[in-house]
Amino acid sequence: MTFTVRHARTSDVPAIMRLIEPLVHRRILLGKERVVFYEAVQEFRVAEDAAGELIGCGALHVIWEDLGEVRTLAVAEPWLGRGVGRALLSTLEHDALELGLSRLFCLTFEVEFFSRNGFEPIGDDVVDAEVQAQLMRSPDVGVAEFLDLAHVKPNTLGNTRMLKHLSLA
């Protein structure tokens, strides 16, 4: 069975929400309001099978000049282990490089998957104090998770903060 990866469209939002719903119920992904998906649809890539059914999604969110976050990476259960997640991640990494990013962050339970794809667990000192002070001004929950701020701790329990350094090679 084959699949393709493409930019998401606004018409994909309901399917993206259906795809991630089981992961939200299992507390693997954070639930978001429909409006948030529409606001961020340009950040998303989707994978679809030969029949045009959405089988995976993932988003790239810019955090800083050189730093982005992989968000909402999900694959439909029947497609797990078939390269869909890797294809989505590879596409998001390509997008990141085109934007001039050199590092990608993720907050994940899927440590093995991200480790196989070059991500490593991180500590607290990932950005310098001046950048951290700027990031602290962001209302974005993902930025707060990146900074490991106390008010998002209930969202991050059991997750691992990971980072990958991108290269042009």
Side-chain angles (χ1 to χ4, degrees):
M1 300 175 93
T2 61
F3 63 90
T4 57
V5 175
R6 63 169 172 79
H7 288 281
R9 301 180 193 110
T10 55
S11 59
D12 294 320
V13 168
I16 290 170
M17 292 183 72
R18 283 190 303 274
L19 178 69
I20 70 164
E21 184 178 7
L23 300 171
V24 170
H25 288 299
R26 291 175 25 212
R27 301 183 58 99
I28 292 171
L29 291 177
L30 284 177
K32 297 175 184 167
E33 297 295 330
R34 183 178 300 251
V35 67
V36 174
F37 288 103
Y38 283 115
E39 289 172 341
V41 73
Q42 71 279 359
E43 297 181 355
F44 274 84
R45 294 293 194 130
V46 295
E48 61 184 7
D49 66 13
E53 183 179 340
L54 194 131
I55 59 168
C57 65
L60 171 65
H61 182 78
V62 175
I63 294 177
W64 195 249
E65 176 184 13
D66 65 334
L67 179 64
E69 179 183 6
V70 174
R71 292 184 171 180
T72 321
L73 187 61
V75 175
E77 193 152 339
W79 285 86
L80 290 174
R82 296 182 175 189
V84 176
R86 176 66 194 120
L88 284 162
L89 182 57
S90 178
T91 302
L92 295 173
E93 289 176 4
H94 176 77
D95 293 348
L97 287 168
E98 283 192 341
L99 288 168
L101 304 178
S102 59
R103 299 180 299 162
L104 279 182
F105 164 74
C106 69
L107 179 69
T108 186
F109 288 107
E110 300 296 332
V111 174
E112 187 177 315
F113 170 80
F114 281 98
S115 291
R116 282 194 315 267
N117 288 285
F119 285 75
E120 297 178 349
I122 57 172
D124 294 331
D125 298 326
V126 181
V127 294
D128 64 38
E130 183 178 326
V131 171
Q132 180 156 342
Q134 290 292 319
L135 291 177
M136 295 281 286
R137 297 178 178 158
S138 174
D140 188 271
V141 173
V143 173
E145 291 169 342
F146 170 73
L147 295 173
D148 203 25
L149 300 180
H151 74 276
V152 294
K153 291 290 188 189
N155 297 343
T156 63
L157 291 176
N159 280 297
T160 300
R161 297 165 61 240
M162 301 183 82
L163 191 73
K164 179 175 183 175
H165 293 272
L166 302 174
S167 66
L168 297 173

